[in-house]
Structures are given as structure tokens and as C-alpha cells.
Amino acid sequence: MTGTRRSGGRPTLEQVAARAGVGRGTVSRVINGSPRVSERTREAVERAVAELGYVPNRAARALAANRTDAIALVIPETETRLFAEPYFSDIIRGISTELADTEMQLLLTLIRTPKERHRLAQFLGAHRVDGVLLVSVHADDPLPDLLEEIEMPAVLSGRRAAGESVPYVDSDNVGGASAAVEHLIGRGRRSVATITGPLDMYVAQCRLDGYRQALAVAGHEPDEGLVEPADFTEEGGRRAMARLLERRPELDAVFCASDVMAAGARQVLREQGRRVPEDVALVGFDDSAVARHMDPGLTSVRQPTEEMGRMMARVLLAEIGERDPDRPQVVLTTELIRRASS
Amino acid sequence: MTGTRRSGGRPTLEQVAARAGVGRGTVSRVINGSPRVSERTREAVERAVAELGYVPNRAARALAANRTDAIALVIPETETRLFAEPYFSDIIRGISTELADTEMQLLLTLIRTPKERHRLAQFLGAHRVDGVLLVSVHADDPLPDLLEEIEMPAVLSGRRAAGESVPYVDSDNVGGASAAVEHLIGRGRRSVATITGPLDMYVAQCRLDGYRQALAVAGHEPDEGLVEPADFTEEGGRRAMARLLERRPELDAVFCASDVMAAGARQVLREQGRRVPEDVALVGFDDSAVARHMDPGLTSVRQPTEEMGRMMARVLLAEIGERDPDRPQVVLTTELIRRASS
DNA sequence: ATCACGGATGAGAGCGCTCTCAAGCCGGGG
DNA sequence: CCCCGGCTTGAGAGCGCTCTCATCCGTGAT
């Protein structure tokens, strides 16, 4: 009973050192893979570690070394609901995969209220993590700049705007959208409309750009009447589709900037007696569960979500190791998944 | 330059103490809300804290107090894919909500490989967190017992078996299933089949029990030919539906133990020219996005997922505070969401 | 006025680790 | 044979916080 009211008396560095017959510092070196240890000593220490089942105390290490071995995944609330589908879990899976061989821990932070936002800022300001992964950040979000300011490594999923200054991993939204529209045109559709996301989001802009580019390439006259902005929600998709049909009853295809909006659009089409794909072809974006379960199955642009998660983690780890002066930027290609809706 | 290569020179307890003109211990007391501080002193300290923007160093605190102010959410991989839908994010949202007013951090841990499993065990064994939330644990999972052994507070979502010994939060699967079947019978269905989950999972058993109970109450003859086990996957639902139709072509309703399986079943029904709900009524379980987007909309049993997350966190926090000798057990009620499929 | 008692407070001792630094050891060159 | 340089190693000093304990002060009881 030497005053150890402590954690089940787990072994400490000191004890490992004693057992291996070396000093604390040496054990520390071995644990951290320093090259300045002789082979003999290393082996002795490793044996002692194994025998005692030693696991370093993270808090002590963090305190002494002034790092945390943890990164935060920050998810603004609204997005979690919108993107909930596979996006969310896929990206987490990717991150987790990349972190698996690391000592890094993943902290999950949902941001819903201004209060939580403030707490997060404080939390980050106090350097409670070594780096931050930011998912679906809005253009006007001050967080990335805050992070920049306090020199906290960060990686975004998606850009806030063209010329994003913070390192990011994004998918090729322009290319994906244009492939989708190209496909519709290739199927003989003459009047291709689009339901966009909120246009203050860069991702929505990109998909709209892709739509326009594909039409231009195919030599279609631009017709702004075929463009209807929405908000990535099902209800928004519904309303947009209704407006579109009223304005351009002759349309025979719709590219929706998200599957969820496509689901809404599909409902309106059904209500108005338009068959999919016979009367109107439909293409979505995200290749979410919704797309697979729609009837008919929804053709959709697939983003390599898990891969994005992996890349984000990889880039962040690199940034934590040593900041890259020219901020790393990764853009992953998309893939068109064809189903019966087009 | 007093040798501070440290974290941006953020203020320490010591500095706050100096500024407030008190001792370190007193500041600590104020920070931790100890009652043994005079009003005057408390105010002075709080002012100093505000002025300096002091935020306690978590690592130091963890080291000194031998706690971590973090809990882990452990998710076995397979489940994340199966339940991906809203379940996953809803439960996280619930947990996060409950944790919002706490100092607790949420660590996310995905378990896919035996290696990761081992790392987790080691991690937990080293008391790297104050408690653990376990999502969808299999009956034969050794993790809960390990946790029990090392006296790590834990809460399960769902029971591994009847008479679960670890604290848990579950939804009323029996009641939900029985309500679903009752509903089908109430709609005049005579031959109600069921597609179950893997029967080595307690949750699947419960839903099957509910199915049987409702039939019994309604005075239906038990007919094991109407019971087809599957595995919670879409493909499994498809196969089960096919077998069911072959064996009992006269069936006019199916209760599926998950929406995803219902989606599979629905495809087979369509292929075989059976209309839903005219020929065969369909009910699912989970009330996931799939249910809403099926055509016709799938009647489904809704679990209060977010609420479950909240309860889990709440129970765990209580357990961390002081372990309840009779393990807390919470069962939340379900709700039948009626749509056009029944 | 004196003593005891309870609450408020500060000093001190770590928590387990990393990191710096100087000492110890070896071999080779002068 | 001695000195120097390079490598390995251990000691020591914290990192910022909590917690125990002794001290100090004011108060009511005597």
C-alpha cells in the first residue's frame, strides 16, 4: 500500500525500466522508436514491456510532450442529417482505416448550436487535439480561418470556394455532374433540366458548372429556365421539380445535384403522371442508399467517400508531422452509376 | 523566452492564481466548482479566468486526477454498414446532445479486424477512457465481459441476451414487432409471414417473439412455414421472400425484421407480379430512409434512436459518477409508422 | 477575554512521461 | 600510451493539474 490509489496499478515506465535493468529515459527511447539505443538494450526493454503488459499513459505523454495524439472530426449538425446516408459513415470508415495503424485517436464533435460552436473554438484554441478534420463546411464558416490563425493543422472535405486556402480533399463535382448530363444527352434527351443545391455552397456551384459545361459541349442552347435552385432536401427537390414542370413542361430529363432531391423530384413526377425514365430521365448525385432503393433505381454520380475519408486522414497526419508550405489539395474522381432511371 | 517551447503559451493555473492573487489550489477549487471557496475569492478567480481566457489543460488534469474525461463509442464494423442508415448518426446525435453540457469527449472507435479489436482491448485495459458505449454487440462478443472485469463503466445498446448483465438501453423489440403484426391482422390479413434477422442475435429473437405473440393473441394457428430467417441484408431479404413465396404462395402479408430486408422482399414481390399492398402487405422495422423512399412507402416500426443515444450517454455518465449496484436497464417504446405498404 | 472549532486557503508532493544534458564507455589516431 | 570523438545511457527537471494536509482566520461558547 504505497499510496497507490491509482489506476489498477498498471505498470509505469519506471517499473519497466527497473525490470529491464535500465533507466527511464532508455525505455522511453525504445517505446518511441528512437534509433539511439543498442540492440541488446532494446530487446531487454521490449521483453520487459511484454512481460509487464505495459501500455504508456497517454495523459502523461500528452502533458510531457505537449501533443495529444488525437484529432477531431468536426461535423456541423445540419449536414449530418442531410448527408446522413452512407456519406457520413463511409467517411468515418475511411478516416478510421487510415488511423488504424496510428496512435491517433478520433474525437467526434457535432456542432449544432452557437454554444457548441464556441466550446469547440475554445477547445481547439486550447490545443486539445493535434489536428482537425472538417466535414462539409459552409463558405462563411469562420472555423477554418480560426484554425489557420492558431496554426492548427486542418483538412477540409470539400472546398469552401475556388482557391481554397486550407488543405482539402474534394471529389470532382464538376466532372461528375458533367458526366451525368453527358450521359443524359447521350441517351437522346433534348431538354435537360437541373435541380441544384444551395448556390452559396461551392459544391452546388460546381455541380451546376458541370451541368452547364456538358450542355455547352453538346451544343445545347443555354436555358436558365431549366435551372432551379433548391437546398439538398427532399422537400426542396419536390418544390423545384414542380416549378420546373410548370415552367418547362417539355423537359425530358433532370439532373439533380443530390439523390435526396431526386427522390423528391421523383415523387412529383409520379404525381403528375410522368413516367421515369420513359417521359423524364432522372440522375442524382451521391449514389446513396436512396438511389438504390428508388423505383426505378436512380442513376447517380458516385463519390469515393471512403477514399475521401482516408485521404483526409492521410493528409492531416502528414500536416501534423510537418506542415506542407503549399497546402495539399486532393481531388478524387467520381463515377457514374447507371440504373434504370435514365 | 523562458524556455517555453510550449503550446502557444496558454495561461496555466499558476498564472490565473497569480492574477487573482490567490494560490493554485484555490483556483483549482473554483474551476472544479468546489463549495469550499468564499464568494469573494470565487469571483476574483472567475474574473482572472475570463481575462486570461484560461482553459484547463486536459492532459494535466487527466494525469493528476487519474481520469480522462472521455468516453469511447465502439462500433463493430459489420454493423455500421447494416445499420448505417439513420441509426448510426441518430445515435451519435443523441449521445452528443447528452454530452454537450459536459466536459466529456467522445472517442469514436470502429472495430473491423481482430487486430483492431486487440488494440481496443489494450486501450480500454489501460483505462484510456472513463467509460464505454457499445453499439450492437453480438451475443458472443467478449468485450462486455472484459469491461466488467476491469471495472470499466459500460452501456450497451441492445441486449446480448435475455438477462443481460451489463447496463443497457434497448428498444422494445417485442412490443414493436407485435404491434406491427397486430396492425397487419387488423387490416384483415390472414396469412402473415415474417422474415427474421439472424437468430443468434437477441434483437432478431425478440422481433420474432413479438410476431408470434401477436399471432397467438389474434388466435392464429402457429405456422413455422411462415417464418423465414435471414440476416438483415437486402439480399437476404430477397432470398427469404423467394423461399416464402414458394412455400406459402397464399401469404398476404410479411413482417420484415428490418427495412433493408423489406426492400429486398419488395423487389422479389414486384418481380413475381405481386402488388404491394393489394396482394401482399409489407411492414419493416427501423423506419429508416429506405422505408420512406420505397414505393409504396413502407410501414415500419420506429425506434427512438436518438433518444436511445441520449439515454446511453446519460446512463454511462451516471455509472461513471458512481456505479449503480443493480445495473441500470432502460427499454424505450417503439412506434408504428404507417405508410402505404400495409 | 479565552479556547475550541470549522471553514477558507496555500504549500507541497506527486501523477507518468519526455527531453535535455552531462557522464560513461568504446575505439582509433596522434 | 593518452586524448578525442561518437555513441549509449541515466539523472534531473519539468509539463499543468489535483489532492492532502497543515495553517490561518473568524466565530461562538465558556
Side-chain angles (χ1 to χ4, degrees):
Chain A
M1 278 298 173
T2 4
T4 302
R5 62 162 182 2
R6 297 268 150 194
S7 49
R10 48 217 52 271
T12 70
L13 245 204
E14 190 85 47
Q15 293 169 35
V16 175
R19 173 141 198 153
V22 300
R24 228 167 51 249
T26 304
V27 177
S28 177
R29 261 170 232 128
V30 172
I31 300 287
N32 294 294
S34 156
R36 338 204 106 283
V37 182
S38 72
E39 200 49 43
R40 276 181 52 75
T41 323
R42 162 167 286 113
E43 276 165 20
V45 171
E46 276 166 356
R47 200 173 319 119
V49 165
E51 285 167 3
L52 262 42
Y54 170 76
V55 185
N57 179 317
R58 210 172 194 107
R61 177 179 274 182
L63 180 57
N66 194 37
R67 61 187 160 124
T68 63
D69 286 342
I71 63 176
L73 172 61
V74 176
I75 306 176
E77 158 67 354
T78 42
E79 311 309 327
T80 75
R81 213 175 258 295
L82 295 184
F83 284 83
E85 305 303 337
Y87 186 82
F88 187 43
S89 44
D90 276 355
I91 216 158
I92 289 182
R93 185 175 301 115
I95 295 168
S96 173
T97 303
E98 196 66 28
L99 257 39
D101 300 316
T102 315
E103 285 286 85
M104 279 296 172
Q105 286 179 174
L106 182 62
L107 253 60
L108 194 62
T109 323
L110 261 48
I111 304 295
R112 273 155 300 188
T113 61
K115 189 182 155 207
E116 289 184 355
R117 185 172 211 81
H118 175 253
R119 280 184 49 133
L120 174 68
Q122 190 174 272
F123 182 80
L124 297 176
H127 285 265
R128 264 333 114 57
V129 286
D130 294 340
V132 179
L133 260 18
L134 284 167
V135 170
S136 52
V137 178
H138 274 267
D140 57 350
D141 196 317
L143 217 46
D145 299 315
L146 168 67
L147 292 169
E148 190 94 22
E149 196 178 312
I150 63 176
E151 292 183 33
M152 167 81 72
V155 176
L156 307 184
S157 82
R159 284 161 272 194
R160 285 172 297 169
E164 174 64 62
S165 59
V166 176
Y168 65 82
V169 175
D170 203 352
S171 61
D172 182 10
N173 287 301
V174 177
S178 112
V181 173
E182 215 169 89
H183 160 75
L184 287 168
I185 295 170
R187 307 286 282 184
R189 302 294 166 163
R190 305 295 314 153
S191 178
V192 183
T194 185
I195 296 177
T196 80
L199 292 176
D200 61 330
M201 286 177 74
Y202 186 64
V203 55
Q205 277 294 349
C206 286
R207 292 177 189 175
L208 177 55
D209 284 354
Y211 162 84
R212 286 191 173 130
Q213 283 180 23
L215 288 186
V217 167
H220 284 221
E221 281 300 299
D223 175 0
E224 285 307 309
L226 286 170
V227 176
E228 182 64 38
D231 57 0
F232 279 143
T233 69
E234 188 168 342
E235 176 55 27
R238 223 171 349 237
R239 278 198 301 265
M241 189 70 245
R243 274 196 290 267
L244 238 23
L245 284 174
E246 196 169 318
R247 199 162 58 214
R248 294 288 186 277
E250 75 280 13
L251 63 80
D252 60 4
V254 184
F255 163 61
C256 302
S258 85
D259 287 350
V260 174
M261 292 196 300
R266 201 264 174 274
Q267 289 165 24
V268 171
L269 289 170
R270 196 196 326 268
E271 285 162 19
Q272 305 211 2
R274 310 253 185 159
R275 292 165 304 164
V276 174
E278 295 84 349
D279 303 327
V280 178
L282 213 54
V283 175
F285 209 112
D286 290 343
D287 187 36
S288 59
V290 179
R292 282 193 302 283
H293 293 294
M294 264 172 64
D295 173 37
L298 179 69
T299 296
S300 188
V301 180
R302 182 177 179 280
Q303 309 185 67
T305 320
E306 185 163 345
E307 174 75 10
M308 287 181 68
R310 287 237 297 287
M311 285 306 296
M312 288 179 69
R314 193 176 307 168
V315 170
L316 185 62
L317 290 177
E319 284 283 285
I320 290 172
E322 183 173 9
R323 300 204 80 165
D324 188 339
D326 31 67
R327 322 336 291 291
Q329 316 190 322
V330 181
V331 175
L332 301 172
T333 58
T334 57
E335 183 190 358
L336 186 69
I337 307 294
R338 303 186 187 190
R339 297 203 179 81
S341 72
S342 67
Chain B
M1 278 295 178
T2 4
T4 301
R5 59 155 184 7
R6 297 269 148 193
S7 49
R10 33 219 65 266
T12 71
L13 246 204
E14 190 84 48
Q15 294 169 32
V16 175
R19 173 142 198 153
V22 298
R24 227 166 50 251
T26 303
V27 177
S28 178
R29 262 170 231 125
V30 173
I31 300 288
N32 294 292
S34 156
R36 341 202 104 282
V37 183
S38 72
E39 201 49 43
R40 275 182 51 78
T41 320
R42 160 166 288 114
E43 276 165 18
V45 170
E46 275 165 357
R47 200 173 319 117
V49 165
E51 286 168 5
L52 262 43
Y54 170 77
V55 185
N57 178 318
R58 207 170 197 108
R61 178 179 274 183
L63 180 56
N66 194 38
R67 60 186 161 120
T68 63
D69 285 343
I71 64 177
L73 172 60
V74 176
I75 306 176
E77 159 67 356
T78 43
E79 310 310 326
T80 75
R81 214 175 256 298
L82 295 184
F83 286 82
E85 304 302 335
Y87 186 82
F88 187 43
S89 43
D90 276 356
I91 217 158
I92 290 183
R93 184 173 304 116
I95 295 169
S96 173
T97 303
E98 196 65 28
L99 258 38
D101 300 316
T102 316
E103 285 286 84
M104 279 295 172
Q105 287 178 174
L106 182 62
L107 254 61
L108 194 62
T109 322
L110 260 48
I111 303 294
R112 270 155 303 189
T113 63
K115 189 180 155 210
E116 289 184 354
R117 186 171 210 81
H118 174 253
R119 279 183 49 132
L120 174 68
Q122 188 175 273
F123 182 80
L124 297 176
H127 285 264
R128 264 333 115 55
V129 287
D130 294 340
V132 179
L133 259 18
L134 284 167
V135 171
S136 54
V137 179
H138 274 267
D140 57 349
D141 196 317
L143 218 45
D145 298 313
L146 167 68
L147 292 170
E148 190 95 20
E149 198 177 312
I150 63 175
E151 293 183 32
M152 168 80 75
V155 176
L156 308 183
S157 81
R159 285 160 271 194
R160 286 170 297 168
E164 174 63 63
S165 61
V166 175
Y168 65 81
V169 174
D170 202 352
S171 61
D172 182 8
N173 287 300
V174 177
S178 116
V181 174
E182 213 169 89
H183 160 75
L184 287 169
I185 294 171
R187 307 285 284 186
R189 305 292 165 164
R190 306 294 315 154
S191 179
V192 182
T194 186
I195 297 177
T196 80
L199 292 176
D200 60 330
M201 286 177 74
Y202 186 63
V203 54
Q205 277 294 349
C206 286
R207 292 177 190 176
L208 177 55
D209 283 354
Y211 162 83
R212 288 193 172 127
Q213 283 180 22
L215 289 185
V217 167
H220 284 219
E221 281 300 300
D223 175 359
E224 285 307 309
L226 286 171
V227 175
E228 183 64 36
D231 57 1
F232 279 144
T233 70
E234 188 167 342
E235 177 55 27
R238 222 169 352 235
R239 280 197 301 264
M241 190 69 245
R243 275 196 290 269
L244 237 22
L245 284 173
E246 197 168 315
R247 200 162 60 213
R248 294 288 187 275
E250 75 278 14
L251 63 78
D252 60 3
V254 184
F255 163 61
C256 302
S258 83
D259 287 350
V260 174
M261 294 197 298
R266 201 263 174 277
Q267 290 165 24
V268 172
L269 288 170
R270 195 196 327 268
E271 285 161 21
Q272 306 212 1
R274 309 252 185 159
R275 292 165 303 165
V276 174
E278 294 83 351
D279 303 327
V280 178
L282 212 54
V283 175
F285 209 111
D286 289 343
D287 188 35
S288 58
V290 180
R292 282 193 302 283
H293 291 118
M294 265 171 63
D295 172 38
L298 179 69
T299 296
S300 188
V301 180
R302 182 178 179 279
Q303 307 186 70
T305 320
E306 185 164 345
E307 173 74 10
M308 287 181 68
R310 287 235 298 285
M311 284 307 294
M312 287 180 70
R314 194 176 307 169
V315 170
L316 185 61
L317 290 178
E319 284 283 287
I320 289 171
E322 183 174 8
R323 299 203 82 167
D324 189 338
D326 33 65
R327 320 339 288 292
Q329 317 189 323
V330 182
V331 175
L332 301 172
T333 58
T334 58
E335 182 190 358
L336 187 69
I337 306 294
R338 301 182 189 193
R339 297 203 180 81
S341 73
S342 66

